Amino acid sequence: MRGKGPTTGISLLLPVAVATLRKRWLGFAGSFVALALGVALISATGLLVSTSAGFGNDDPSAPSLRKLLIFMAGMSGFVSVFVVASTFAFAVAGRRRETALLRAVGATPRQVRLLVLGEAVVVSLAASLCGALLGLAVAPLFARWLVSRGAAPEGFTVEFSAGPPLIAAAIEVGVAVAGAYAAARRSGRVRPVEALGDAAVDGRVMTPGRWLWAVGHLALLAAVLALFTTMPPGMSRDPQLRDPQNMPVWSLLIGIMAIMAVASFAPLLVPPLVRLFTLPVPLASGAVGLLARQNALASVRRTVSTATPIFLVVGLTGTVVGSTLAFGDARTIQAREALAAQYVVEPDGGAALAPGTVEELRRLDGVRTTTVRTTWLTGLDGDTAGTVAATAVDGDAATTWPLPTGSGSLERLRGSSVAVSGTLAAANGWQVGDTLTGSLDDGAPVTLTVVALVETPLSLAEVLLPYSVVAGHLEGDPQPTAAFLSTSPGAPAPVLAAASRAKVTADAAWGGKDDPRSRSDRIAMIALLGPALLYALIAIVNTMVMSTGDRLRDFSTLRLTGADSRQVLSVVGVEAALTAATATVLALLVTTGTQAATLMLIGQRILVSGPSLPLSLPWPAIGAAAAAGLGLALVSSLLPARLALRARAPGLASVRQ
């Protein structure tokens, strides 16, 4: 093919492309499925984000719907991009024998790259179209689920637009072509004389580009962790970065960065783990364990590609569930330590107490009632603080929460006054006695005097002000979200009428799993993990089926050397188990590191003076994720292999000839 023009060379390679499509249709189908589902996932979550601009939560203290959807889209995009890039690179790397033969008969590296890229573009464009249509069908299902769980208000529906599907398609096509190009460039760089020898065993898999990518991710992870731990003055002025309420979000970001860093080093980490797992005892009788071990070590790229979805499933499960539980525990400990009231009254369903409940509480003998509502202040002190959440307190704040005070006194929180957290005051240069101007939730101007700098727990906002300041300025005049009852020591719990639809919790038991914020956290966790994990679980099946389909020639060779079907299937099963075990260990390393980082952030920003949390992993969730990954890996590798052996795969006939 040398000496011919580019067009002539490509035209001569078209029959090769058609023959490859017929022979390796399973690999093309796997790439198609990965990209189509990835586009559908990003498109659906993107439509939800674009629709959420006009909607808010019924409960202002609940997590922001738009923020939840943005991170849901980000998590889905991260997983799908990761899987698509890995799948397309794996599909190209699996064709190294064909690439080697093309190089041996005279195809130039440029022709090989153009052939592979052309195939990747055709597959990705067709998959993007199907994925975009699927995303349009899936988005309303997501919206209905969010409404049914109370994460979105009634009436939240999807408004269809072309933007999210087009963006999703552009992202995934670009990632697919980039992944295919990187693999094709490596294959095309092989010299014709070395082609056939290079096709048998993977050479260097940690290329200079991958080293640069991996070290860069590791350095960025260390820098982000250091910044959030020390919180420089420039960062502390940003409420999104400073507010401890947002720490779970940034902990999740750190977790994703850690997953990317470890995945980048996977080709370096996988071989030692495979050797470790196969070192103590043979994994099966005869040569099965040895063959599985050598196959995994000889084809590191294949092992890494098939392990990636399992790694994502276990790693994301451990990271997200672990950080959610850790922040929930920290919030509970902090809230109980800050509370001096003996009982807490909360709605038993819904976002606010029923009308008449507060009046019933105030009629109780020997009980002092303090209620809270959540609102927003805009342009506080000339917009230096932006829009901040505030807790409107109706009652005795100092008695209900004897908070540590840097200066001033919470007892002075009455009239046109405000108490702010010490970190918020330091970020904006506020001191006790300063006068702050701003706007209430309905836009009405307000002037407040700072009377105290306090350490606010996560159960309260960074800004505390008397309810009298916002009375009449809250939309719909909402009922309190909770009431705190101060009684004499040992007094029995108040009994409320059934019509109040409220529950009374003692201070020592408040803030557990039944806490409204804990329920919101669980819903947010499912929303973040659900679509991404479902996609990753499908990707496990997809990559395992692709891997098995590419190994028909290997199966034929084993049969010709005397192995029976049971022994071939044993090799396939042991390799799948090795892959799952390797991915699980890497995920455990990531989860342990991210959990340690989460606890460090909690100690620095939340439980500053309280007890520290012990390092613990969410073993039930990790075990379930690992078991699901292993089960799918075994089924999706053994079943195609068994069917191929029964059908006498084409590779067997070619080898016999």
Side-chain angles (χ1 to χ4, degrees), residues 1 3-13 108 110-111 114:
M1 300 180 193
K4 299 181 180 293
T7 305
T8 304
I10 295 300
S11 63
L12 292 176
L13 289 176
T108 65
R110 180 174 181 273
Q111 289 170 337
L114 289 176

Side-chain angles (χ1 to χ4, degrees), residues 53-112:
F55 291 86
N57 300 80
D58 292 333
D59 178 12
S61 65
S64 164
L65 173 62
R66 185 168 180 81
K67 184 185 295 184
L68 171 63
L69 292 176
I70 289 174
F71 274 87
M72 180 179 171
M75 178 72 78
S76 301
F78 162 71
V79 173
S80 62
V81 165
F82 216 92
V83 170
V84 166
S86 176
T87 301
F88 270 77
F90 171 57
V92 175
R95 297 172 51 190
R96 296 182 60 162
R97 286 189 176 93
E98 287 82 352
T99 303
L101 288 172
L102 289 174
R103 293 287 289 120
V105 298
T108 65
R110 180 174 181 273
Q111 289 170 337
V112 172

Side-chain angles (χ1 to χ4, degrees), residues 348-386:
D348 191 8
L353 296 173
T357 302
V358 175
E359 288 73 12
E360 180 182 357
L361 292 173
R362 296 195 188 281
R363 288 195 296 267
L364 297 175
D365 294 332
V367 176
R368 296 189 304 277
T369 302
T370 301
T371 64
V372 294
R373 297 170 175 83
T374 302
T375 184
W376 303 93
L377 294 175
T378 305
L380 200 59
D381 194 28
D383 205 30
T384 60

Side-chain angles (χ1 to χ4, degrees), residues 19-234:
T20 301
L21 177 60
R22 290 175 179 173
K23 181 179 179 181
R24 294 190 173 273
W25 65 270
L26 200 57
F28 285 99
S31 302
F32 180 94
V33 169
L35 195 140
L37 292 178
V39 170
L41 194 57
I42 297 178
S43 175
T45 52
L47 287 169
L48 292 174
V49 171
S50 64
T51 304
S52 65
F55 291 86
N57 300 80
D58 292 333
D59 178 12
S61 65
S64 164
L65 173 62
R66 185 168 180 81
K67 184 185 295 184
L68 171 63
L69 292 176
I70 289 174
F71 274 87
M72 180 179 171
M75 178 72 78
S76 301
F78 162 71
V79 173
S80 62
V81 165
F82 216 92
V83 170
V84 166
S86 176
T87 301
F88 270 77
F90 171 57
V92 175
R95 297 172 51 190
R96 296 182 60 162
R97 286 189 176 93
E98 287 82 352
T99 303
L101 288 172
L102 289 174
R103 293 287 289 120
V105 298
T108 65
R110 180 174 181 273
Q111 289 170 337
V112 172
R113 288 195 298 269
L114 289 176
L115 175 65
V116 172
L117 289 178
E119 294 169 350
V121 169
V122 171
V123 172
S124 59
L125 288 177
S128 295
L129 177 60
C130 295
L133 295 176
L134 182 60
L136 295 176
V138 170
L141 301 179
F142 282 168
R144 285 199 289 271
W145 182 85
L146 290 169
V147 172
S148 67
R149 294 299 182 273
E154 293 292 337
F156 177 68
T157 55
V158 176
E159 296 179 0
F160 296 104
S161 62
L166 289 176
I167 294 174
I171 291 174
E172 295 288 38
V173 169
V175 169
V177 172
Y181 176 79
R185 190 165 178 265
R186 287 193 299 269
S187 299
R189 201 183 295 134
V190 177
R191 292 182 299 173
V193 176
E194 303 171 343
L196 295 179
D198 190 74
V201 179
D202 284 343
R204 183 180 60 181
V205 290
M206 283 298 291
T207 60
R210 186 157 191 146
W211 270 109
L212 183 63
W213 181 264
V215 173
H217 270 100
L218 200 59
L220 183 61
L221 172 63
V224 170
L225 185 59
L227 287 174
F228 276 104
T229 303
T230 58
M231 193 57 63

